[in-house]
Amino acid sequence: MTPRQQFLAQAAQRILITDGAFGTEIQNWKLSEADYAGTLTLGRDQKGNNDILALTKPEVPESIHRAYFEAGADIAETNTFSANRISQADYGAEGLVREINVESAKLARRLADEFAAKDGRPRFVAGAIGPTNKTLSLSPDVNDPGFREIDFDYLKDVYREQIDALLEGGADFILIETVFDTLNAKAGIMAAIEAGNDLGRDVPIMLSMTLTDLSGRNLSGHTVEAFWCAVRHARPLTIGLNCSFGAEQLRPHVRTLSDTADTLIMVYPNAGLPNELGEYDEMPVTTAGLVKEWADAGQVNVLGGCCGSTPAHIKAIADAVTGLPPRTMPVPPVQTKLAGLEPFVMAA
């Protein structure tokens, strides 16, 4: 079976579990700048460049992947959120993008295969791609609304470089996550489709939107329904929400997406909202209880955690939804649906 077929077969049987936060887990290691930089001599301070640890201190991401698999995760998301030419330029490491992604994917693949061999349960690797720190839909200059720092073709090429390396390293899927700009996501989608075409095989895409306010819109202004209309053509394996808020605030938007999208729903919220120090206090049992409400309502197929979540959160979620049936995909009416900032359904 292909990775898509295998994933769908598993998702038909149970609610699957993706992993939790990487950044906060890395912070627990209290790494120094020398730990990040290793022997690379890049000439810039590397502290905080989490992605580069695949090259300089791989035992850190390996330990985190292992902890999440032990907690019950079915999916390892590669530690590559910022492993693209744009984001790595801040660290003078743009020349290492391919190597970072290949090694990160290889690491996750090795551990996924190790855990699958132990109990026969498939484990999957999602090549994680973040939104970069640029936006195609909005101008960074309030005095020049038509100005863009980059264009669509450039961003597509940036994503293509990362996607090719993730697939080379063994990723099953490409996860375009924390989508604050729908046009950025569409550049990633195009890059993934082109990569699959050049390889002559299906490259499944996972999409995860992030909301910037409680009304349910991302930064480029799209509602969750409009976002679905804009990306449905990509036949995503999963679509869902991550980051931005905790599970309680995401409840109505999960319901809307679940009722709308005829594909699997994957949601991995923050562990509540950060406190005044920027830290996350929500206990694993609380997070698990909140996301279990979605499972009880038949609204989700894959659950996990984002900022502030830990292996303890993932274990609590996995335990809470064990034995609960996965969401059944709706069969929407055949209609022409277009995406402005809100969905537009063309009348018959």
Side-chain angles (χ1 to χ4, degrees), residues 68-305:
Y68 282 128
F69 276 135
E70 289 173 345
D74 298 287
I75 307 166
E77 300 173 22
T78 57
N79 181 37
T80 52
F81 185 81
S82 298
N84 60 76
R85 198 186 316 159
I86 293 172
S87 301
Q88 286 300 311
D90 293 343
Y91 298 98
E94 57 266 48
L96 294 173
V97 163
R98 178 186 170 277
E99 190 176 354
I100 292 170
N101 284 281
V102 169
E103 292 306 313
S104 293
K106 282 183 175 178
L107 176 60
R109 175 83 274 154
R110 175 168 57 80
L111 288 173
D113 292 345
E114 175 189 320
F115 275 81
K118 288 180 181 178
D119 59 13
R121 194 175 98 221
R123 304 303 199 283
F124 302 93
V125 175
I129 293 179
T132 79
N133 52 19
K134 308 295 182 186
T135 172
L136 291 174
S137 295
L138 302 169
S139 171
D141 183 353
V142 294
N143 297 313
D144 186 0
F147 174 71
R148 300 292 185 273
E149 290 182 277
I150 58 173
D151 62 25
F152 184 91
D153 288 338
Y154 177 76
L155 183 56
K156 187 204 72 171
D157 290 344
V158 166
Y159 281 135
R160 178 64 192 273
E161 178 182 29
Q162 186 176 10
I163 288 168
D164 285 344
L166 288 167
L167 294 174
E168 180 182 342
D172 294 306
F173 321 122
I174 296 301
L175 169 61
I176 303 170
E177 64 175 342
T178 320
V179 175
F180 63 75
D181 184 338
T182 304
L183 194 55
N184 281 33
K186 290 175 82 70
I189 288 168
M190 187 170 180
I193 291 172
E194 289 184 354
N197 289 341
D198 287 349
L199 288 171
R201 64 180 174 89
D202 175 38
V203 174
I205 298 169
M206 295 172 150
L207 294 169
S208 189
M209 178 187 184
T210 190
L211 306 180
T212 54
D213 61 58
L214 290 175
S215 71
R217 296 180 186 270
N218 64 2
L219 190 63
S220 57
H222 297 92
T223 65
V224 293
E225 293 171 281
F227 179 68
W228 171 241
C229 292
V231 300
R232 184 178 182 272
H233 67 93
R235 295 174 55 244
L237 180 65
T238 68
I239 192 165
L241 302 167
N242 78 292
C243 205
S244 59
F245 302 112
E248 194 163 10
Q249 292 77 22
L250 290 182
R251 183 182 292 118
H253 311 300
V254 171
R255 182 175 63 249
T256 296
L257 197 56
S258 177
D259 291 343
T260 303
D262 56 341
T263 192
L264 302 178
I265 299 295
M266 180 167 81
V267 188
Y268 47 117
N270 291 347
L273 295 173
N275 60 27
E276 60 274 12
L277 299 177
E279 298 172 342
Y280 292 85
D281 301 322
E282 188 170 278
M283 299 300 291
V285 65
T286 303
T287 304
L290 290 169
V291 302
K292 183 178 181 292
E293 293 178 13
W294 303 334
D296 287 335
Q299 295 172 345
V300 289
N301 303 98
V302 188
L303 286 170

Side-chain angles (χ1 to χ4, degrees), residues 57-76:
K57 210 167 182 61
E59 61 269 28
V60 174
E62 176 174 351
S63 172
I64 296 168
H65 280 312
R66 188 176 295 280
Y68 282 128
F69 276 135
E70 289 173 345
D74 298 287
I75 307 166

Side-chain angles (χ1 to χ4, degrees), residues 29-50 52-53 56-57 90-92:
W29 283 70
K30 311 295 184 187
L31 300 176
S32 67
E33 197 279 333
D35 291 321
Y36 282 96
T39 59
L40 293 177
T41 62
L42 290 171
R44 291 194 193 175
D45 193 313
Q46 297 300 309
K47 191 172 178 64
N49 188 2
N50 292 340
I52 211 163
L53 294 172
T56 58
K57 210 167 182 61
D90 293 343
Y91 298 98

